[in-house]
Amino acid sequence: MTMRALFSAISGLQNHLTFMDVIGNNIANVNTIAFKANRVTFQDVLGQTLRGATAPQGGIGGTDPIQVGLGMQMGGVKTIHNQGSLQATGKLTDFAIQGDGFFLLNDASQTFYTRDGSFDVSIGGDLVNPVNGFKVQGWNADATGAVDTTAPPAAISISFGTRVSAKSTTSVGLSGNLDASSAVGKAFSTTVTVYDSLGVQNSVKVTFSKDSPNTWAVTNGANVTAALSGGGTGSIDSISGNPTQDIRPGQWDITSDAGGALSAVFTPAGAGAAVELPIAGTIAASGTNTTLIPGVTLTNGGVLAAGTDSVVIAGGTNVAFSSSGVYLTTNPAIAINLTLTNGAASPQNVNLGLTDISQFSGSGQIATKSSDGFPAGSLTSFAVGTGGDVTGIFSNGSNQLLGQVALGLFTNPAGLIKKGNNLFSATSNSGEAIVGTPGTSGRGLVSTGALEGSNTDLAQEFTNVILAQRGFQASSRVITAADEMLLDLVNIKR
C-alpha cells in the first residue's frame, strides 16, 4: 500500500518553507532603497490517473476521469516592479525615477541596471554608486554644450572647479518706462554692465533724452566719437567722450583765438536750445587736453589758429513710440560700440534690445532685463532636470549643460536577474536594454533630492506569513494522520 498523501504533504512542507523564505526576504528589505518585492506562485504536480474519461455511448452517458494528485511544486518567484514611494532627502546627488526605466551602471567590464539613485561624485569627477564605485552612464556635452545621445553611453563627468571662459557681451535687453509727460530735454539713464572678451567688466551709461513728443534720443558714453566736420580755421583733429560720461548727440562749435583760448557752444540734435558749455584754459599747440570740457578729450595736431570748428557728435539715435505708448518695431537697431585698449577684442559691438520699454505717463525708470555676457568662472554646483539633463552652475552665475543621464527600458523587466547591491542584469528573457533619455518612449522622469523606497507591502506580507504558516501546519498534520493510518495497518495482524 502506497501512501501518496505522505509525499504530497512533504511537497507542501518544502514549498511553504520556500514561501516563507521569500516573505522573510521581502520584510527584511522593507527599508531597502528601490527594493522590488518577490511573489511566490504554486502549481500542482501531475496527478495519477486511476481511470480515464469515456464518451457517451448508447443510452449511457460519459464518465469523467479519476485522478489523484501527487502534491504541489513552485510555479515561480516573480519580481514585482511596481513603483515605490519617493522619499525626499535633499541631497543633490540623490536621484529617483518616476515611472519605468533603470539607471545604467558600469564597472568597466559590464553594465548593470538599478533603480537605486543614491549616487555621489568621485574624486575623479565621475558620477558613481559610492558602494561599489560603478559609474553612472549617460552622455557628456561637448565644448559647445551639445549632447549626442546617438553615441554609446559613457561615464558622466562632473568635475568641480572646472573653469569656464569669459563670454563677451553681445546683447543687452532693457525694460522699463519713459515718462510721457516729461518736458523736452528730460533724460532718464541706466548703467549697463558689459563684459569684454577677457571678462573685464565695463560700465556704460545709456541715456534716453526726450527730443519731441513720442521721440527720444538714445545715447551712450562709449559711442560718442567724431572727427571734425565743417569750416573754420581751427585745427582740432578729433573729439571723444569718456565711456562713463554721457554726451548727447549734436554739434559742438569750438572757437579759439590766436593764443589758443577756447570757448564752446553745444547744439543738441533734434529739439532743444543751444547751450554754452563750461570751458577754461587753452589747448597746447599739439597733443591732447582732457580738462577743458569735463569728460571730453580734444586732440590738437598742429598750431591752433583763430576761428571756429564745428564738431558733429555721432552715435545718438532717435527712437519713437506709438500714440498708445508702444515701442515701434520700425525703430533702427541700436548698439553700444566699445573701443578697448586692455588687450580684449576690439571694437566690441553690443546690441541694445529696447522692445520692452514703454512710454506712458508716470514714473520713468529704465533697467537691465537681460545680458548674455559673463566673466570667467568655475563649476561650483550642478542641477539635474526631470529629463535627466545635467546643468553646471558656475561661480560667475552662468549655467552650462554638462551631460545627460541615460535610462534603460526593458520589454520584460520581470526577466531581469538580481545581482545584489540593488543591481539587476539583463537575461535572454528580459531582452537588451533600450537606452534613451528620461521622459521619452515610455521612460520615466528623474527627480533629484529624492530616493525611491521599497515596494514591499507589509500588510500583504504579514497576511502571507499566516498563509505560509497554515499551509505548512496543515501539511504536517497530513503527515501525522498518514502515519497513524500506517500504524493502524501494521497493527491489523495483532
Side-chain angles (χ1 to χ4, degrees):
M1 178 179 180
T2 301
M3 293 294 293
R4 286 182 293 264
L6 284 173
F7 300 104
S8 297
I10 289 173
S11 69
L13 292 175
Q14 294 173 334
N15 288 294
H16 279 92
L17 279 174
T18 303
F19 188 15
M20 186 64 78
D21 292 338
V22 173
I23 296 169
N25 182 64
N26 289 342
I27 294 175
N29 286 282
V30 68
N31 291 314
T32 300
I33 298 172
F35 174 77
K36 300 305 176 186
N38 291 328
R39 180 185 66 195
V40 175
T41 58
F42 297 119
Q43 295 177 341
D44 65 334
V45 177
L46 178 64
Q48 180 180 356
T49 301
L50 302 181
R51 188 183 69 187
T54 61
Q57 52 184 341
I60 303 174
T63 59
D64 295 328
I66 298 176
Q67 292 180 300
V68 177
L70 300 178
M72 53 94 78
Q73 61 183 354
M74 189 74 65
V77 179
K78 302 292 184 181
T79 301
I80 308 302
H81 286 276
N82 292 341
Q83 173 86 48
S85 60
L86 301 191
Q87 304 166 2
T89 65
K91 186 181 178 184
L92 184 65
T93 53
D94 283 347
F95 301 164
I97 301 173
Q98 297 187 71
D100 296 332
F102 296 82
F103 296 112
L104 280 64
L105 299 178
N106 192 277
D107 67 350
S109 61
Q110 63 177 314
T111 300
F112 297 94
Y113 305 92
T114 185
R115 299 275 298 190
D116 180 359
S118 55
F119 302 138
D120 218 331
V121 179
S122 70
I123 192 171
D126 295 319
L127 192 62
V128 300
N129 181 321
V131 175
N132 46 39
F134 293 176
K135 297 181 179 181
V136 182
Q137 302 294 289
W139 301 275
N140 291 302
D142 60 19
T144 65
V147 176
D148 182 9
T149 57
T150 63
I156 297 177
S157 178
I158 305 174
S159 299
F160 288 108
T162 298
R163 301 287 297 177
V164 61
S165 300
K167 181 182 183 300
S168 58
T169 304
T170 60
S171 65
V172 173
L174 301 181
S175 64
N177 181 65
L178 298 172
D179 186 1
S181 61
S182 299
V184 172
K186 176 67 175 178
F188 298 95
S189 299
T190 186
T191 299
V192 174
T193 298
V194 175
Y195 292 98
D196 62 27
S197 60
L198 297 178
V200 176
Q201 177 178 322
N202 299 278
S203 296
V204 179
K205 187 177 182 181
V206 178
T207 300
F208 295 80
S209 303
K210 189 168 185 178
D211 275 351
S212 62
N214 297 336
T215 303
W216 297 74
V218 185
T219 60
N220 64 84
N223 193 25
V224 187
T225 300
L228 289 175
S229 64
T233 58
S235 59
I236 297 174
D237 293 327
S238 65
I239 177 173
S240 60
N242 187 308
T244 60
Q245 176 73 27
D246 173 53
I247 304 175
R248 291 184 61 195
Q251 179 173 309
W252 294 70
D253 294 313
I254 303 173
T255 303
S256 63
D257 59 21
L262 300 176
S263 63
V265 175
F266 174 65
T267 303
V275 178
E276 184 171 353
L277 298 176
I279 189 168
T282 60
I283 189 168
S286 63
T288 61
N289 191 304
T290 59
T291 61
L292 300 178
I293 304 174
V296 176
T297 298
L298 299 177
T299 302
N300 179 22
V303 177
L304 187 65
T308 300
D309 279 321
S310 295
V311 183
V312 177
I313 304 301
T317 303
N318 288 339
V319 295
F321 293 83
S322 70
S323 58
S324 58
V326 178
Y327 183 85
L328 296 177
T329 58
T330 56
N331 282 318
I334 299 177
I336 298 173
N337 303 310
L338 286 174
T339 300
L340 305 169
T341 59
N342 62 347
S346 181
Q348 180 178 349
N349 299 322
V350 181
N351 295 321
L352 279 179
L354 306 178
T355 56
D356 290 328
I357 295 178
S358 60
Q359 182 201 239
F360 298 106
S361 178
S363 62
Q365 185 174 7
I366 303 298
T368 300
K369 178 182 180 181
S370 62
S371 177
D372 64 351
F374 49 78
S378 59
L379 182 64
T380 58
S381 184
F382 70 94
V384 179
T386 56
D389 47 301
V390 182
T391 302
I393 302 172
F394 293 82
S395 57
N396 58 6
S398 65
N399 297 333
Q400 181 175 316
L401 186 63
L402 301 180
Q404 171 74 54
V405 175
L407 290 185
L409 200 64
F410 290 90
T411 303
N412 177 31
L416 295 170
I417 186 170
K418 292 184 177 182
K419 305 296 288 187
N421 294 324
N422 295 342
L423 302 177
F424 294 89
S425 282
T427 67
S428 57
N429 198 43
S430 68
E432 294 298 322
I434 306 171
V435 180
T437 57
T440 63
S441 301
R443 299 176 190 87
L445 300 175
V446 174
S447 294
T448 57
L451 292 173
E452 182 182 359
S454 169
N455 68 351
T456 297
D457 184 345
L458 279 179
Q460 181 62 54
E461 296 304 326
F462 282 125
T463 301
N464 290 341
V465 167
I466 297 173
L467 295 176
Q469 179 187 11
R470 292 306 182 192
F472 183 90
Q473 186 181 44
S475 295
S476 66
R477 292 294 183 270
V478 170
I479 294 176
T480 302
D483 177 59
E484 292 293 336
M485 293 173 68
L486 287 174
L487 180 60
D488 290 340
L489 180 62
V490 171
N491 291 332
I492 288 178
K493 66 175 184 162
R494 295 181 181 179

